[in-house]
Amino acid sequence: MSVSDIPEKYRDLRSFAFGDSPALADELLDLVLSGVKTATCSTEDEPNTSSPGERWIVLDGRGTPRCVIESLEITYRRYSEVDAAFAHDEGEGDRSLAYWRSAHRNYFGRQGKFSEDMMLMCERFRLVEIFATAEQAS
């Protein structure tokens, strides 16, 4: 899919991929596309911060635009303050708070940013549109 394959109404949106590797980007994107993942978080100093109502193009691990999401809610809380409901909405693993804490400790640790009191931007979003892939079009 090229930029010209993105519906015109979305071509001016910012884009991003979830995670920190192509494999993780694809894994998390699949959760979004299946409706399981409806939340995400990042460090408060992340350059791709959102505001409610903002829409984003989500890329897969190869950088291909795959869908559009819309930010619904942005809250800031410390890693240690993230609750089970938010962990469940992130949709990863068994969706438990224990899994969320372990996975995010590892993720932010790989970035050299982890601490128990680190501030996170916690975002809830909705899936707006899924783009057809080349495989679907043929």
Side-chain angles (χ1 to χ4, degrees):
M1 174 177 273
S2 69
V3 171
S4 63
D5 295 324
I6 297 171
E8 190 168 334
K9 63 185 173 183
Y10 299 129
R11 291 188 189 155
D12 291 333
L13 298 180
R14 293 191 287 170
S15 63
F16 77 102
F18 288 103
D20 60 356
S21 69
L24 187 54
D26 287 343
E27 176 185 331
L28 297 177
L29 172 65
D30 286 346
L31 293 173
V32 171
L33 296 177
S34 66
V36 172
K37 182 174 183 62
T38 59
T40 193
C41 69
S42 60
T43 56
E44 67 177 337
D45 62 349
E46 173 71 34
N48 285 333
T49 57
S50 283
S51 55
E54 186 172 4
R55 291 183 171 185
W56 292 81
I57 294 172
V58 182
L59 309 173
D60 66 17
R62 291 161 303 291
T64 303
R66 295 292 310 278
C67 68
V68 171
I69 61 171
E70 180 179 357
S71 298
L72 300 175
E73 174 189 85
I74 307 293
T75 59
Y76 288 87
R77 59 184 103 165
R78 301 208 178 276
Y79 167 86
S80 59
E81 298 169 341
V82 170
D83 61 17
F86 189 83
H88 181 270
D89 291 348
E90 279 227 32
E92 300 169 36
D94 66 5
R95 301 180 83 173
S96 70
L97 182 56
Y99 182 91
W100 183 93
R101 285 193 171 145
S102 174
H104 286 78
R105 177 186 304 268
N106 291 335
Y107 175 76
F108 293 122
R110 287 193 304 270
Q111 297 177 355
K113 296 182 176 183
F114 179 77
S115 77
E116 289 285 332
D117 66 346
M118 67 188 293
M119 187 61 74
L120 299 175
M121 181 191 78
C122 298
E123 175 181 1
R124 285 192 163 84
F125 60 83
R126 72 179 185 92
L127 180 60
V128 173
E129 186 170 332
I130 298 172
F131 301 145
T133 62
E135 300 84 49
Q136 293 169 326
S138 56

